Amino acid sequence: MRKLVLKGDIVFTPSMDEFKIYKDSYLVSENGKIVGIFEKLDEKYKDYTLKDYTGKMIIPGFVDIHLHAPQFPNRGMGYDKELLPWLQSYTFPEEAKYKDIKYAERVYRDFVKELWKNGTTSAVIYGTIHKESTKLLMDLLIESGIRAYVGKVNMDRNSIPNLTEDTERSLRETEELILEYKDKSPLVKPIITPRFVPTCSDALLEGLGKLALKYDVPVQSHLSENTDEVKWVSELHPDAKNYASVYDKFNLFGQRRTIMAHCIHNTDEEIDLMAKNGVYAAHCVHSNFNLSSGIMPVRKFLDKKVPVGLGSDISGGHEISIPKVMAASIQASKMKWLETDKKLKPLTLLEVFYLATKGGGSFFGKVGSFEKGYEMDCLIIDDSNLGIYRELTVEERLEKFIYLGDDRNIVDRYVAGKLLKEPR
Ligand code: GUN
Ligand code: FE
């Protein structure tokens, strides 16, 4: 049995109502699962491996529930465009390159290393349409020890010619990948990934919904990110009640665990359906700024009990660091409240910390908290260089780290109780 005790200032959020803070305490785990938190270490834990991080913070690892690995080279480019022209001119041409496995390896190694560096211990990731390079991405993640869902993207229309699939082949390769990876690793799993309604024929969506049900595999896609996109979907599906109902009709909207990225321009009816079906919304604030998409009314989703997590949306978003995404999410919610709707109360540090850990983590199961039975995924934070001129509370230290810290403050990362080495 793997037995591990970490000592330090422990912080986590079992709910959006309170921080749980245990100063100078012991976080005990067995076989990668949390046993408990103790102020004094009982005799019975004396033979456990003890790592002493006194004076440092121990927090749950960050969870990124929406990003595109193949877009890593495009970070910080093309942001004078909105979504649809950006996809055509920047994103699709870049993704077409992943037919070349050598190119894929070069980028995907850097990508995985960057997740590790920034303390993202769980991620829900898009690959490209290419099966071989998507398998390579999954293998690199398995090697890294990071927890992930990875999707081979499906798209059979409205793309550039060398990034357009044959429908039958798209379904066949998706099924092959599911069969090969569903039991390969306890941490890295396949997820069904129709890119979004405009690039998927009805036959493709129907086939993917069937695969999700048949193999009990989760689903991810994009929803109501941009007003031109929403209008286009209504033209492509004139009989559909709304955008969400297209996914729903094909069993891709909560029939299995589902994440929809962005959700900026949804109708109330769509949000209600997300709540009813337990569909997750991925809030990708940087991307929504960069592509002039809008500000997601996150408060409305929380009020309606829709599960929400945060996404970097590389490369619509330029920043892979979840703390940077957290700070921007708080700022965006303040401007939404001030400029648009006084009913949409700004998000607090507590709420956003929850979204970045247990909120997104719940998509994986018992991830993102230090309650008993949860996965022992955590980060060790040394905040001593962050300009501290008086005794701060742990909560103040955490806020300072979120706003001012970076990867240099992350001393160690653990997933399922294992220390993650820097990926090669
Ligand atoms: N909608 C469909 N594909 C994409 C993508 O790659 N990025 C973003 N931000 N939105 C999308
Ligand atoms: Fe995206």
Side-chain angles (χ1 to χ4, degrees), residues 66 68 71 83 86-87 91-92 95 126 195-196 199 222 225 229 262 287 291 313-317:
H66 184 78
H68 301 257
Q71 296 175 22
L83 175 67
W86 172 80
L87 285 172
T91 308
F92 293 167
E95 290 195 14
Y126 285 56
R195 177 168 218 121
F196 67 156
T199 58
H222 296 89
E225 171 177 6
E229 171 208 9
H262 307 296
S287 173
L291 300 176
D313 193 26
I314 297 301
S315 68

PDB file of all heavy atoms in Angstrom, residues 66 68 71 83 86-87 91-92 95 126 195-196 199 222 225 229 262 287 291 313-317, ligand 1:
ATOM      1  N   HIS A  66     -11.320  22.585 -20.675  1.00  0.00           N
ATOM      2  CA  HIS A  66     -11.448  22.826 -22.123  1.00  0.00           C
ATOM      3  C   HIS A  66     -10.194  23.435 -22.727  1.00  0.00           C
ATOM      4  O   HIS A  66      -9.902  24.614 -22.504  1.00  0.00           O
ATOM      5  CB  HIS A  66     -12.655  23.727 -22.420  1.00  0.00           C
ATOM      6  CG  HIS A  66     -12.871  23.925 -23.886  1.00  0.00           C
ATOM      7  ND1 HIS A  66     -13.465  22.986 -24.681  1.00  0.00           N
ATOM      8  CD2 HIS A  66     -12.521  24.928 -24.726  1.00  0.00           C
ATOM      9  CE1 HIS A  66     -13.493  23.409 -25.929  1.00  0.00           C
ATOM     10  NE2 HIS A  66     -12.917  24.589 -25.983  1.00  0.00           N
ATOM     11  N   HIS A  68      -7.306  22.930 -26.428  1.00  0.00           N
ATOM     12  CA  HIS A  68      -6.965  22.243 -27.674  1.00  0.00           C
ATOM     13  C   HIS A  68      -5.449  22.098 -27.768  1.00  0.00           C
ATOM     14  O   HIS A  68      -4.747  23.081 -28.046  1.00  0.00           O
ATOM     15  CB  HIS A  68      -7.449  23.064 -28.873  1.00  0.00           C
ATOM     16  CG  HIS A  68      -8.929  23.329 -28.894  1.00  0.00           C
ATOM     17  ND1 HIS A  68      -9.802  22.653 -29.711  1.00  0.00           N
ATOM     18  CD2 HIS A  68      -9.694  24.208 -28.191  1.00  0.00           C
ATOM     19  CE1 HIS A  68     -11.032  23.098 -29.528  1.00  0.00           C
ATOM     20  NE2 HIS A  68     -11.000  24.052 -28.602  1.00  0.00           N
ATOM     21  N   GLN A  71      -3.536  23.428 -30.912  1.00  0.00           N
ATOM     22  CA  GLN A  71      -3.520  24.880 -31.108  1.00  0.00           C
ATOM     23  C   GLN A  71      -2.415  25.553 -30.291  1.00  0.00           C
ATOM     24  O   GLN A  71      -2.260  26.777 -30.322  1.00  0.00           O
ATOM     25  CB  GLN A  71      -4.890  25.476 -30.772  1.00  0.00           C
ATOM     26  CG  GLN A  71      -5.999  24.992 -31.710  1.00  0.00           C
ATOM     27  CD  GLN A  71      -7.384  25.492 -31.302  1.00  0.00           C
ATOM     28  OE1 GLN A  71      -7.519  26.483 -30.601  1.00  0.00           O
ATOM     29  NE2 GLN A  71      -8.426  24.787 -31.744  1.00  0.00           N
ATOM     30  N   LEU A  83     -14.572  34.428 -34.061  1.00  0.00           N
ATOM     31  CA  LEU A  83     -14.481  32.962 -34.104  1.00  0.00           C
ATOM     32  C   LEU A  83     -14.412  32.356 -35.507  1.00  0.00           C
ATOM     33  O   LEU A  83     -13.472  31.620 -35.822  1.00  0.00           O
ATOM     34  CB  LEU A  83     -15.672  32.349 -33.340  1.00  0.00           C
ATOM     35  CG  LEU A  83     -15.744  30.818 -33.414  1.00  0.00           C
ATOM     36  CD1 LEU A  83     -14.586  30.172 -32.675  1.00  0.00           C
ATOM     37  CD2 LEU A  83     -17.079  30.300 -32.878  1.00  0.00           C
ATOM     38  N   TRP A  86     -11.441  33.261 -37.641  1.00  0.00           N
ATOM     39  CA  TRP A  86     -10.256  32.776 -36.905  1.00  0.00           C
ATOM     40  C   TRP A  86     -10.081  31.268 -37.120  1.00  0.00           C
ATOM     41  O   TRP A  86      -8.967  30.798 -37.370  1.00  0.00           O
ATOM     42  CB  TRP A  86     -10.421  33.112 -35.420  1.00  0.00           C
ATOM     43  CG  TRP A  86      -9.408  32.533 -34.489  1.00  0.00           C
ATOM     44  CD1 TRP A  86      -8.144  32.998 -34.250  1.00  0.00           C
ATOM     45  CD2 TRP A  86      -9.582  31.381 -33.640  1.00  0.00           C
ATOM     46  NE1 TRP A  86      -7.520  32.204 -33.322  1.00  0.00           N
ATOM     47  CE2 TRP A  86      -8.381  31.215 -32.933  1.00  0.00           C
ATOM     48  CE3 TRP A  86     -10.633  30.485 -33.410  1.00  0.00           C
ATOM     49  CZ2 TRP A  86      -8.188  30.186 -32.013  1.00  0.00           C
ATOM     50  CZ3 TRP A  86     -10.459  29.463 -32.504  1.00  0.00           C
ATOM     51  CH2 TRP A  86      -9.255  29.312 -31.815  1.00  0.00           C
ATOM     52  N   LEU A  87     -11.173  30.532 -37.067  1.00  0.00           N
ATOM     53  CA  LEU A  87     -11.092  29.087 -37.310  1.00  0.00           C
ATOM     54  C   LEU A  87     -10.566  28.814 -38.718  1.00  0.00           C
ATOM     55  O   LEU A  87      -9.652  28.009 -38.909  1.00  0.00           O
ATOM     56  CB  LEU A  87     -12.472  28.431 -37.144  1.00  0.00           C
ATOM     57  CG  LEU A  87     -13.000  28.245 -35.719  1.00  0.00           C
ATOM     58  CD1 LEU A  87     -14.453  27.756 -35.752  1.00  0.00           C
ATOM     59  CD2 LEU A  87     -12.152  27.271 -34.916  1.00  0.00           C
ATOM     60  N   THR A  91      -6.867  28.397 -37.251  1.00  0.00           N
ATOM     61  CA  THR A  91      -6.976  27.164 -36.488  1.00  0.00           C
ATOM     62  C   THR A  91      -6.997  25.932 -37.392  1.00  0.00           C
ATOM     63  O   THR A  91      -6.239  24.986 -37.155  1.00  0.00           O
ATOM     64  CB  THR A  91      -8.255  27.244 -35.630  1.00  0.00           C
ATOM     65  OG1 THR A  91      -8.191  28.472 -34.912  1.00  0.00           O
ATOM     66  CG2 THR A  91      -8.333  26.097 -34.659  1.00  0.00           C
ATOM     67  N   PHE A  92      -7.855  25.940 -38.397  1.00  0.00           N
ATOM     68  CA  PHE A  92      -7.943  24.758 -39.255  1.00  0.00           C
ATOM     69  C   PHE A  92      -6.620  24.477 -39.974  1.00  0.00           C
ATOM     70  O   PHE A  92      -6.161  23.329 -39.979  1.00  0.00           O
ATOM     71  CB  PHE A  92      -9.122  24.883 -40.238  1.00  0.00           C
ATOM     72  CG  PHE A  92     -10.488  24.851 -39.583  1.00  0.00           C
ATOM     73  CD1 PHE A  92     -11.631  25.226 -40.293  1.00  0.00           C
ATOM     74  CD2 PHE A  92     -10.653  24.438 -38.271  1.00  0.00           C
ATOM     75  CE1 PHE A  92     -12.897  25.191 -39.696  1.00  0.00           C
ATOM     76  CE2 PHE A  92     -11.907  24.410 -37.656  1.00  0.00           C
ATOM     77  CZ  PHE A  92     -13.031  24.791 -38.375  1.00  0.00           C
ATOM     78  N   GLU A  95      -4.291  22.856 -37.449  1.00  0.00           N
ATOM     79  CA  GLU A  95      -4.693  21.491 -37.075  1.00  0.00           C
ATOM     80  C   GLU A  95      -4.434  20.488 -38.203  1.00  0.00           C
ATOM     81  O   GLU A  95      -4.178  19.309 -37.942  1.00  0.00           O
ATOM     82  CB  GLU A  95      -6.164  21.471 -36.632  1.00  0.00           C
ATOM     83  CG  GLU A  95      -6.376  22.166 -35.297  1.00  0.00           C
ATOM     84  CD  GLU A  95      -7.726  21.874 -34.650  1.00  0.00           C
ATOM     85  OE1 GLU A  95      -8.413  20.930 -35.074  1.00  0.00           O
ATOM     86  OE2 GLU A  95      -8.075  22.608 -33.706  1.00  0.00           O
ATOM     87  N   TYR A 126      -8.868  18.530 -26.476  1.00  0.00           N
ATOM     88  CA  TYR A 126      -9.137  18.196 -27.873  1.00  0.00           C
ATOM     89  C   TYR A 126      -7.823  17.872 -28.568  1.00  0.00           C
ATOM     90  O   TYR A 126      -6.835  18.610 -28.386  1.00  0.00           O
ATOM     91  CB  TYR A 126      -9.746  19.391 -28.630  1.00  0.00           C
ATOM     92  CG  TYR A 126     -11.188  19.692 -28.335  1.00  0.00           C
ATOM     93  CD1 TYR A 126     -11.633  19.927 -27.051  1.00  0.00           C
ATOM     94  CD2 TYR A 126     -12.117  19.782 -29.372  1.00  0.00           C
ATOM     95  CE1 TYR A 126     -12.959  20.230 -26.793  1.00  0.00           C
ATOM     96  CE2 TYR A 126     -13.448  20.093 -29.128  1.00  0.00           C
ATOM     97  CZ  TYR A 126     -13.866  20.313 -27.826  1.00  0.00           C
ATOM     98  OH  TYR A 126     -15.170  20.615 -27.586  1.00  0.00           O
ATOM     99  N   ARG A 195     -16.670  18.497 -33.159  1.00  0.00           N
ATOM    100  CA  ARG A 195     -16.078  19.837 -32.968  1.00  0.00           C
ATOM    101  C   ARG A 195     -17.132  20.862 -32.548  1.00  0.00           C
ATOM    102  O   ARG A 195     -17.003  21.485 -31.497  1.00  0.00           O
ATOM    103  CB  ARG A 195     -15.398  20.295 -34.249  1.00  0.00           C
ATOM    104  CG  ARG A 195     -14.861  21.684 -34.091  1.00  0.00           C
ATOM    105  CD  ARG A 195     -13.939  22.158 -35.154  1.00  0.00           C
ATOM    106  NE  ARG A 195     -12.931  22.941 -34.459  1.00  0.00           N
ATOM    107  CZ  ARG A 195     -11.648  22.703 -34.468  1.00  0.00           C
ATOM    108  NH1 ARG A 195     -11.149  21.731 -35.182  1.00  0.00           N
ATOM    109  NH2 ARG A 195     -10.830  23.450 -33.748  1.00  0.00           N
ATOM    110  N   PHE A 196     -18.151  21.030 -33.385  1.00  0.00           N
ATOM    111  CA  PHE A 196     -19.376  21.777 -33.057  1.00  0.00           C
ATOM    112  C   PHE A 196     -20.363  21.543 -34.194  1.00  0.00           C
ATOM    113  O   PHE A 196     -19.992  20.986 -35.241  1.00  0.00           O
ATOM    114  CB  PHE A 196     -19.138  23.257 -32.720  1.00  0.00           C
ATOM    115  CG  PHE A 196     -18.660  24.198 -33.797  1.00  0.00           C
ATOM    116  CD1 PHE A 196     -18.907  25.570 -33.683  1.00  0.00           C
ATOM    117  CD2 PHE A 196     -17.957  23.756 -34.912  1.00  0.00           C
ATOM    118  CE1 PHE A 196     -18.465  26.475 -34.648  1.00  0.00           C
ATOM    119  CE2 PHE A 196     -17.511  24.646 -35.881  1.00  0.00           C
ATOM    120  CZ  PHE A 196     -17.767  26.002 -35.744  1.00  0.00           C
ATOM    121  N   THR A 199     -19.681  21.970 -38.142  1.00  0.00           N
ATOM    122  CA  THR A 199     -18.736  21.110 -38.873  1.00  0.00           C
ATOM    123  C   THR A 199     -19.111  19.627 -38.822  1.00  0.00           C
ATOM    124  O   THR A 199     -18.294  18.778 -39.176  1.00  0.00           O
ATOM    125  CB  THR A 199     -17.293  21.253 -38.333  1.00  0.00           C
ATOM    126  OG1 THR A 199     -17.298  20.922 -36.941  1.00  0.00           O
ATOM    127  CG2 THR A 199     -16.735  22.645 -38.544  1.00  0.00           C
ATOM    128  N   HIS A 222     -18.615  22.428 -28.415  1.00  0.00           N
ATOM    129  CA  HIS A 222     -18.733  23.880 -28.209  1.00  0.00           C
ATOM    130  C   HIS A 222     -20.202  24.282 -28.354  1.00  0.00           C
ATOM    131  O   HIS A 222     -20.921  23.709 -29.173  1.00  0.00           O
ATOM    132  CB  HIS A 222     -17.933  24.634 -29.260  1.00  0.00           C
ATOM    133  CG  HIS A 222     -16.448  24.403 -29.198  1.00  0.00           C
ATOM    134  ND1 HIS A 222     -15.825  23.383 -29.865  1.00  0.00           N
ATOM    135  CD2 HIS A 222     -15.465  25.076 -28.544  1.00  0.00           C
ATOM    136  CE1 HIS A 222     -14.515  23.439 -29.640  1.00  0.00           C
ATOM    137  NE2 HIS A 222     -14.263  24.460 -28.839  1.00  0.00           N
ATOM    138  N   GLU A 225     -20.987  30.216 -28.620  1.00  0.00           N
ATOM    139  CA  GLU A 225     -19.805  31.018 -28.278  1.00  0.00           C
ATOM    140  C   GLU A 225     -19.882  32.406 -28.916  1.00  0.00           C
ATOM    141  O   GLU A 225     -19.439  33.391 -28.320  1.00  0.00           O
ATOM    142  CB  GLU A 225     -18.569  30.250 -28.779  1.00  0.00           C
ATOM    143  CG  GLU A 225     -17.249  31.000 -28.715  1.00  0.00           C
ATOM    144  CD  GLU A 225     -16.087  30.129 -29.176  1.00  0.00           C
ATOM    145  OE1 GLU A 225     -16.336  28.991 -29.642  1.00  0.00           O
ATOM    146  OE2 GLU A 225     -14.939  30.580 -29.070  1.00  0.00           O
ATOM    147  N   GLU A 229     -22.019  32.380 -35.099  1.00  0.00           N
ATOM    148  CA  GLU A 229     -22.078  30.913 -35.005  1.00  0.00           C
ATOM    149  C   GLU A 229     -23.508  30.454 -34.682  1.00  0.00           C
ATOM    150  O   GLU A 229     -24.047  29.536 -35.322  1.00  0.00           O
ATOM    151  CB  GLU A 229     -21.114  30.452 -33.894  1.00  0.00           C
ATOM    152  CG  GLU A 229     -21.198  28.979 -33.518  1.00  0.00           C
ATOM    153  CD  GLU A 229     -20.788  28.730 -32.058  1.00  0.00           C
ATOM    154  OE1 GLU A 229     -20.604  29.700 -31.298  1.00  0.00           O
ATOM    155  OE2 GLU A 229     -20.690  27.540 -31.686  1.00  0.00           O
ATOM    156  N   HIS A 262     -17.952  27.406 -23.551  1.00  0.00           N
ATOM    157  CA  HIS A 262     -18.323  28.817 -23.786  1.00  0.00           C
ATOM    158  C   HIS A 262     -19.708  29.210 -23.275  1.00  0.00           C
ATOM    159  O   HIS A 262     -19.805  29.979 -22.331  1.00  0.00           O
ATOM    160  CB  HIS A 262     -18.133  29.220 -25.254  1.00  0.00           C
ATOM    161  CG  HIS A 262     -16.759  28.916 -25.746  1.00  0.00           C
ATOM    162  ND1 HIS A 262     -15.658  29.536 -25.225  1.00  0.00           N
ATOM    163  CD2 HIS A 262     -16.297  28.016 -26.650  1.00  0.00           C
ATOM    164  CE1 HIS A 262     -14.562  29.053 -25.811  1.00  0.00           C
ATOM    165  NE2 HIS A 262     -14.921  28.127 -26.666  1.00  0.00           N
ATOM    166  N   SER A 287     -10.374  33.295 -23.920  1.00  0.00           N
ATOM    167  CA  SER A 287     -10.784  33.051 -25.298  1.00  0.00           C
ATOM    168  C   SER A 287     -11.934  33.979 -25.659  1.00  0.00           C
ATOM    169  O   SER A 287     -11.968  34.564 -26.748  1.00  0.00           O
ATOM    170  CB  SER A 287     -11.202  31.591 -25.430  1.00  0.00           C
ATOM    171  OG  SER A 287     -11.754  31.335 -26.680  1.00  0.00           O
ATOM    172  N   LEU A 291     -11.416  36.635 -28.788  1.00  0.00           N
ATOM    173  CA  LEU A 291     -12.172  36.503 -30.042  1.00  0.00           C
ATOM    174  C   LEU A 291     -13.434  37.362 -30.029  1.00  0.00           C
ATOM    175  O   LEU A 291     -14.339  37.162 -30.850  1.00  0.00           O
ATOM    176  CB  LEU A 291     -12.513  35.027 -30.292  1.00  0.00           C
ATOM    177  CG  LEU A 291     -11.295  34.086 -30.406  1.00  0.00           C
ATOM    178  CD1 LEU A 291     -11.732  32.637 -30.561  1.00  0.00           C
ATOM    179  CD2 LEU A 291     -10.400  34.493 -31.575  1.00  0.00           C
ATOM    180  N   ASP A 313      -8.989  27.088 -22.903  1.00  0.00           N
ATOM    181  CA  ASP A 313      -9.276  27.103 -24.341  1.00  0.00           C
ATOM    182  C   ASP A 313      -8.075  27.511 -25.178  1.00  0.00           C
ATOM    183  O   ASP A 313      -8.198  28.311 -26.105  1.00  0.00           O
ATOM    184  CB  ASP A 313     -10.499  27.981 -24.671  1.00  0.00           C
ATOM    185  CG  ASP A 313     -10.995  27.757 -26.103  1.00  0.00           C
ATOM    186  OD1 ASP A 313     -10.768  26.657 -26.638  1.00  0.00           O
ATOM    187  OD2 ASP A 313     -11.583  28.681 -26.677  1.00  0.00           O
ATOM    188  N   ILE A 314      -6.893  26.983 -24.858  1.00  0.00           N
ATOM    189  CA  ILE A 314      -5.778  27.151 -25.800  1.00  0.00           C
ATOM    190  C   ILE A 314      -6.276  26.729 -27.177  1.00  0.00           C
ATOM    191  O   ILE A 314      -6.873  25.659 -27.279  1.00  0.00           O
ATOM    192  CB  ILE A 314      -4.583  26.246 -25.364  1.00  0.00           C
ATOM    193  CG1 ILE A 314      -4.035  26.659 -23.989  1.00  0.00           C
ATOM    194  CG2 ILE A 314      -3.490  26.240 -26.428  1.00  0.00           C
ATOM    195  CD1 ILE A 314      -3.532  28.060 -23.875  1.00  0.00           C
ATOM    196  N   SER A 315      -6.101  27.533 -28.303  1.00  0.00           N
ATOM    197  CA  SER A 315      -5.449  28.818 -28.310  1.00  0.00           C
ATOM    198  C   SER A 315      -6.398  29.990 -28.533  1.00  0.00           C
ATOM    199  O   SER A 315      -5.930  31.087 -28.828  1.00  0.00           O
ATOM    200  CB  SER A 315      -4.386  28.836 -29.406  1.00  0.00           C
ATOM    201  OG  SER A 315      -5.046  28.803 -30.688  1.00  0.00           O
ATOM    202  N   GLY A 316      -7.735  29.760 -28.411  1.00  0.00           N
ATOM    203  CA  GLY A 316      -8.601  30.925 -28.314  1.00  0.00           C
ATOM    204  C   GLY A 316      -8.138  31.727 -27.113  1.00  0.00           C
ATOM    205  O   GLY A 316      -7.981  32.945 -27.153  1.00  0.00           O
ATOM    206  N   GLY A 317      -7.869  31.029 -26.017  1.00  0.00           N
ATOM    207  CA  GLY A 317      -7.205  31.625 -24.855  1.00  0.00           C
ATOM    208  C   GLY A 317      -5.701  31.558 -25.068  1.00  0.00           C
ATOM    209  O   GLY A 317      -5.195  30.624 -25.671  1.00  0.00           O
TER     210      GLY A 317
HETATM  211  N1  GUN B   1     -15.670  26.246 -32.017  1.00  0.00           N
HETATM  212  C1  GUN B   1     -15.381  25.227 -32.854  1.00  0.00           C
HETATM  213  N2  GUN B   1     -14.066  24.940 -32.834  1.00  0.00           N
HETATM  214  C2  GUN B   1     -13.501  25.792 -31.983  1.00  0.00           C
HETATM  215  C3  GUN B   1     -12.153  25.988 -31.526  1.00  0.00           C
HETATM  216  O1  GUN B   1     -11.211  25.312 -31.920  1.00  0.00           O
HETATM  217  N3  GUN B   1     -11.971  26.987 -30.610  1.00  0.00           N
HETATM  218  C4  GUN B   1     -12.987  27.745 -30.152  1.00  0.00           C
HETATM  219  N4  GUN B   1     -12.732  28.703 -29.264  1.00  0.00           N
HETATM  220  N5  GUN B   1     -14.247  27.586 -30.559  1.00  0.00           N
HETATM  221  C5  GUN B   1     -14.505  26.624 -31.460  1.00  0.00           C
END
